Amino acid sequence: MKLTRLLAILTLLVVSCASEIDTGPQRPEPSEPATGPIVAEMTVEDADFALYDEGAGCVAVEIAYPGLQPTVERHCFRGEEVLSRTEPCGWLDPQDETAREFDCDVELPVVLYGRVTTPHIGFVCIGTIEATADPGTGVTGARFVEMTDAGFILEAAGPGESPAAHLFTRGGLRYGEPPLDAPSDPIYRMCEAEAPWGTTEVGYGIEVWITIDESLQTDEIGFGVAGGMGGEATGGGAWADQPGPQMFYLDVPSSGRDLSVWVETTVEGDPLLEADLPWPPEFLQVLAGEMECRVSRIAVHIAAGARSGDADAIAVSWDGNDCGAS
């Protein structure tokens, strides 16, 4: 009895191990056709790539290669997420006698593709990273990718190039948070050494104090602000837990002229309200170098009408202190 049970256990282990053997990539279903207008095209080796604008920050890359089954890659971009890359694994039409179910049929060239959706981002830089034991020493180069006037990106990827995007304002200040999937400091410094923007503009720190209507103080409603060099966001429950103004610290470029505010439903993820509101005249004086402040403060009040998309529900005012003419 014990021997029978032992044999059964061994059989289960063999079956389990066999099921966990990595057979490599598996053939996907043919892709759905891309939609929308073509905004960029290019040919790399024997492969043709067409970039489609599918709307709402979403793009599709259609890949054409001799004998390839319908292949389209898609991605939606927003904020600091501006860049992705295509997969090198290609699959021939299933009718082809050389087509396989595993391990890819052909190796395709790789392209970088993306969409910059905020006008505050003026430059996108990427690094070339070699595999080393110390990731901080693996950066061997950096370059800026080209983008269309509408912010679309389609470029061939070089060997070792990472799609981790290092972003800059039009005046050369770092935008947003450093990518977590790259040794960012040496990449930033190599990008800044090229300085395609010319003279780097000045950046300013500011405190944005936000109050919201009591009806919005729920985690089902999300809020965010951005000042031209990235933003911050949180849920309405933060005000329920700690009533009163909530402070967001923002970096603002000297070329900045407005504060972006958005309100969204976290349940559905759809924006309720997005608005670009001009800075108060006093803060424009600070940005122009006409007034110096130890601390610049802006007050933002968001009324209940934001839930229905009423742009007048957001009010911005100056709340600076320790300021004077320069």
Side-chain angles (χ1 to χ4, degrees):
M1 185 67 177
K2 291 183 178 179
L3 179 60
T4 302
R5 181 176 297 178
L6 178 60
L7 288 173
I9 293 173
L10 289 174
T11 301
L12 287 174
L13 288 173
V14 170
V15 172
S16 176
C17 290
S19 65
E20 294 178 1
I21 294 175
D22 185 6
T23 55
Q26 184 175 0
R27 171 182 293 277
E29 291 295 322
S31 303
E32 292 294 323
T35 62
I38 295 177
V39 293
E41 295 179 278
M42 70 181 309
T43 298
V44 184
E45 299 172 7
D46 294 326
D48 297 321
F49 298 86
L51 185 68
Y52 290 75
D53 177 12
E54 295 196 319
C58 300
V59 301
V61 181
E62 182 182 68
I63 306 171
Y65 181 89
L68 199 70
Q69 74 174 18
T71 303
V72 177
E73 295 196 29
R74 291 179 164 87
H75 200 94
C76 294
F77 300 94
R78 182 180 180 185
E80 295 175 38
E81 186 180 9
V82 303
L83 201 60
S84 186
R85 63 187 299 165
T86 60
E87 293 295 328
C89 182
W91 302 90
L92 297 175
D93 188 292
Q95 303 300 321
D96 191 305
E97 61 182 14
T98 63
R100 297 179 291 188
E101 286 299 314
F102 299 96
D103 291 334
C104 307
D105 292 320
V106 294
E107 183 174 353
L108 298 170
V110 175
V111 300
L112 304 171
Y113 69 98
R115 176 77 195 276
V116 173
T117 59
T118 169
H120 298 298
I121 297 173
F123 299 90
V124 178
C125 192
I126 59 173
T128 300
I129 305 171
E130 293 184 353
T132 63
D134 180 359
T137 63
V139 179
T140 59
R143 71 177 179 93
F144 290 89
V145 299
E146 297 290 334
M147 58 183 175
T148 69
D149 292 341
F152 295 101
I153 299 169
L154 183 66
E155 282 203 10
E161 284 190 336
S162 166
H166 295 69
L167 309 174
F168 295 86
T169 68
R170 298 182 184 279
L173 295 173
R174 299 180 185 183
Y175 181 97
E177 297 295 325
L180 297 177
D181 52 349
S184 287
D185 185 61
I187 296 175
Y188 274 126
R189 287 188 279 106
M190 288 183 182
C191 300
E192 289 165 339
E194 292 190 33
W197 45 77
T199 302
T200 303
E201 65 181 324
V202 179
Y204 296 85
I206 185 173
E207 294 178 0
V208 179
W209 291 85
I210 301 179
T211 57
I212 65 174
D213 187 82
E214 185 175 356
S215 65
L216 303 174
Q217 295 178 12
T218 167
D219 283 332
E220 294 182 357
I221 305 292
F223 301 88
V225 289
M229 292 173 62
E232 291 192 25
T234 191
W239 281 265
D241 297 336
Q242 184 178 344
Q246 301 288 322
M247 193 271 281
F248 294 75
Y249 185 86
L250 298 179
D251 290 315
V252 181
S254 56
S255 61
R257 289 296 175 265
D258 51 48
L259 173 70
S260 297
V261 182
W262 63 91
V263 183
E264 60 189 6
T265 59
T266 58
V267 175
E268 300 176 359
D270 295 326
L272 298 172
L273 176 61
E274 295 177 298
D276 292 326
L277 304 170
W279 291 117
E282 294 88 344
F283 189 54
L284 290 177
Q285 286 184 273
V286 174
L287 295 178
E290 299 171 0
M291 183 164 62
E292 294 182 355
C293 295
R294 183 179 62 83
V295 177
S296 294
R297 296 194 308 202
I298 299 293
V300 176
H301 179 72
I302 304 177
R307 188 186 286 268
S308 60
D310 180 9
D312 292 333
I314 302 176
V316 179
S317 60
W318 173 247
D319 191 26
N321 65 334
D322 295 339
C323 298
S326 63

